[in-house]
Amino acid sequence: MPIDLATDSGYALRLLVGAILGALVGLEREIHDHPAGMRTHLLVSLGSAGFTVLSIAAFPTPGADPARIAAQIVSGIGFLGAGAILKAGVTIRGLTTAASLWTVAAVGMAAGAGAWIVAITITVIAIVSLWPLQLVADRLIGRAPHLVRLRLLVDDPAALARVVISAEEEERQ
């Protein structure tokens, strides 16, 4: 696939816009302390943009069905990403890892299709979202431990002791 700087620059702009819009949605979720934050949303949006651009542009052969290829990659990578998500007590870990796995599937598809600028653009945006953007999120939101306030009304003080012991055990897990 020959490099067409004008066309590929247009695709790169589409990827950047997708990443920015995804990050904006994620920032809202991060501010409200939801498990999937700015980086996760950015990566999912970027991956979607990458798959879409590639479905539109990378398979121009008459009679080809590029949507089938993208659909198989997208659904297949979902299983891999799901394996990276772990729930430990009340904490969910691995969402950003799952999103980054999904995004690198778009990078691989772009590279395989010879869409070099698309692949490089997805990679650069993903790396920025995984490291420097984390520093921005830490400065904006902070990473102090989250407080949970619980008010219990009990008739039996021994029952309260059992609740405290149970909560401490859950926290250690």
Side-chain angles (χ1 to χ4, degrees), residues 84-101:
I85 300 171
L86 303 172
K87 184 175 182 297
V90 295
T91 304
I92 296 173
R93 302 199 42 89
L95 287 170
T96 302
T97 300
S100 66
L101 289 169

Side-chain angles (χ1 to χ4, degrees), residues 150-170:
L150 177 66
R151 182 181 297 197
L152 295 173
L153 299 174
V154 294
D155 295 327
D156 177 12
L160 181 59
R162 289 191 301 271
V163 169
V164 170
I165 290 169
S166 178
E168 289 174 346
E169 288 177 29
E170 182 68 28

Side-chain angles (χ1 to χ4, degrees), residues 87-165:
K87 184 175 182 297
V90 295
T91 304
I92 296 173
R93 302 199 42 89
L95 287 170
T96 302
T97 300
S100 66
L101 289 169
W102 192 66
T103 299
V104 296
V107 172
M109 189 175 171
W116 310 117
I117 292 178
V118 171
I120 291 167
T121 303
I122 295 170
T123 302
V124 168
I125 295 171
I127 290 170
V128 167
S129 78
L130 291 169
W131 179 58
L133 192 58
Q134 181 61 49
L135 301 174
V136 171
D138 287 348
R139 282 197 182 251
L140 289 174
I141 290 111
R143 292 290 173 212
H146 300 287
L147 299 176
V148 175
R149 293 188 181 147
L150 177 66
R151 182 181 297 197
L152 295 173
L153 299 174
V154 294
D155 295 327
D156 177 12
L160 181 59
R162 289 191 301 271
V163 169
V164 170
I165 290 169

Side-chain angles (χ1 to χ4, degrees), residues 9-144:
S9 295
Y11 295 152
L13 180 61
R14 291 178 190 190
L15 297 170
L16 185 60
V17 168
I20 290 168
L21 294 174
L24 288 173
V25 172
L27 179 61
E28 185 278 332
R29 306 308 290 160
E30 188 121 10
I31 288 170
H32 293 98
D33 201 28
H34 291 279
M38 184 166 46
R39 295 181 311 140
T40 303
H41 283 77
L42 182 150
L43 289 170
V44 170
S45 184
L46 173 62
S48 296
F51 286 124
T52 301
V53 165
L54 292 168
S55 292
I56 291 168
F59 304 100
T61 307
D65 185 4
R68 286 183 47 202
I69 296 167
Q72 294 303 314
I73 292 171
V74 172
S75 62
I77 197 67
F79 287 102
L80 183 61
I85 300 171
L86 303 172
K87 184 175 182 297
V90 295
T91 304
I92 296 173
R93 302 199 42 89
L95 287 170
T96 302
T97 300
S100 66
L101 289 169
W102 192 66
T103 299
V104 296
V107 172
M109 189 175 171
W116 310 117
I117 292 178
V118 171
I120 291 167
T121 303
I122 295 170
T123 302
V124 168
I125 295 171
I127 290 170
V128 167
S129 78
L130 291 169
W131 179 58
L133 192 58
Q134 181 61 49
L135 301 174
V136 171
D138 287 348
R139 282 197 182 251
L140 289 174
I141 290 111
R143 292 290 173 212

